[in-house]
Amino acid sequence: MRLRDASLLGVLLAAALTLLPVAQAQDPGGPTLRERLRERVEQRRAAKPDADASASALAPLTAGTHTRYLSHGGTNRKYLVHVPPGYDTTRPTPLVLAFHGGGGHAEYMADDEKYGLGIKADREGFVVVFPNGYSKLPGGKFATWNAGSCCGDAGDRKVDDVGFARALVAAVRQQLNIDSARVFATGMSNGGMMSHRLACEAPDVFRAVASVAGTDATLTCTPSRPVSVLHIHARDDTHVLFNGGAGQDAFRDTSKVTDFVSVPETMARWVRRVQCDSAPKRILERPGAFCEAYTGCAGGATVQLCVTDDGGHSWPGAKTVRRGKEGASRALDANEVVWGFFRASSAR
């Protein structure tokens, strides 16, 4: 390598490590060093959103995936909207907001090889929106959500992500015929934590939420009305530990450690909040996984837990995970369970 090239690489590396936010609950798509350098280069090149995305934030949408921007809290926030091919402008359609993990970005969550939510939306006929978390970088990568006690720059800066989610639903409703009684939120890791927060602070917007691998990180929670909550977690998660605390794979900067709430405590909180019967009923049991539901909840809501034996910090049923990570559990398909839970919640 020539001296000049080596010097440039050193400058880019230093800048990248300085500017990047610390993502406190990394999903399997956490950035590699090479990706950090690439994003730093993209930052230098980026000037403004592409013309198609910024042409009209409220223009009617057709089938396919569209990039849009929404100004909120003084920041231009990006989101992707996936409209199923069978979308009918005359029929109110369900809406799902899918929040990426800490250190991820909207495009990663929208990748069907990794999550499959676009494929599921096409089959079931719902609109899925992939919001982008707060990021210092123009491209929006390495982003986090302010879920309360977690995560990264979004948490440190106390970004109003609940307000962003509310504004995003309102913006999508101006572009598409959305059924206001069937609006849901789901997410991975830090994105799952964000879903828990929305159940606490925006139950008037979201009928039900589902979190995968992200326990309750709220600082306070007094829902204005009962909301249905599903939580999915692997026993061997090495990021957000099943029995509480941060695992060895959760952090790059140990000074940013968050003592994650355990899965049992997360469920106990929701049972109290939604006034459910204290004893759950086993509703699914198969090799490597089980699900149990708390019934008798106020307002006809349901609290449900699904546990896999393996899969680590990943989305059960995913086709691929990040290289070097444990493969996703095959005992459960998160998309099937999540959409089934949302569909049942909307029928109540």
Side-chain angles (χ1 to χ4, degrees), residues 283-299:
I283 59 174
L284 181 148
E285 188 159 16
R286 62 178 62 150
F290 71 85
C291 294
E292 54 188 24
Y294 297 83
T295 57
C297 311

Side-chain angles (χ1 to χ4, degrees), residues 235-325:
R235 288 192 182 280
D236 66 346
D237 193 320
T238 57
H239 292 239
V240 181
L241 299 181
F242 189 91
N243 290 316
Q248 61 184 3
D249 296 330
F251 302 98
R252 289 185 169 85
D253 181 353
T254 55
S255 70
K256 295 286 188 177
V257 168
T258 293
D259 188 20
F260 296 122
V261 171
S262 71
V263 172
E265 173 59 20
T266 293
M267 303 313 296
R269 290 180 180 185
W270 281 114
V271 167
R272 291 194 300 269
R273 290 164 182 164
V274 194
Q275 303 171 39
C276 306
D277 296 337
S278 59
K281 297 178 180 179
R282 190 65 57 97
I283 59 174
L284 181 148
E285 188 159 16
R286 62 178 62 150
F290 71 85
C291 294
E292 54 188 24
Y294 297 83
T295 57
C297 311
T302 300
V303 174
Q304 183 173 316
L305 170 68
C306 290
V307 177
T308 62
D309 291 340
D310 61 4
H313 196 66
S314 65
W315 191 267
K319 293 180 181 179
T320 62
V321 298
R322 189 168 186 81
R323 185 170 55 189
K325 296 289 185 178

Side-chain angles (χ1 to χ4, degrees), residues 69-135:
Y69 290 83
L70 176 67
S71 179
H72 186 268
T75 303
N76 208 30
R77 303 289 295 269
K78 181 170 69 173
Y79 62 99
L80 307 182
V81 185
H82 181 82
V83 182
Y87 171 70
D88 183 347
T89 59
T90 67
R91 298 179 59 186
T93 303
L95 170 64
V96 175
L97 266 60
F99 296 87
H100 61 75
H105 53 96
E107 288 84 357
Y108 193 89
M109 192 73 182
D111 187 339
D112 279 331
E113 287 295 314
K114 298 178 177 68
Y115 291 94
L117 284 165
I119 293 174
K120 187 64 176 175
D122 289 348
R123 289 175 179 169
E124 302 293 344
F126 61 86
V127 173
V128 58
V129 171
F130 304 95
N132 211 94
Y134 175 80
S135 172

Side-chain angles (χ1 to χ4, degrees), residues 21-36:
V22 176
Q24 291 189 343
Q26 295 291 333
D27 72 359
T32 64
L33 182 58
R34 179 176 295 179
E35 289 170 334
R36 293 179 181 212

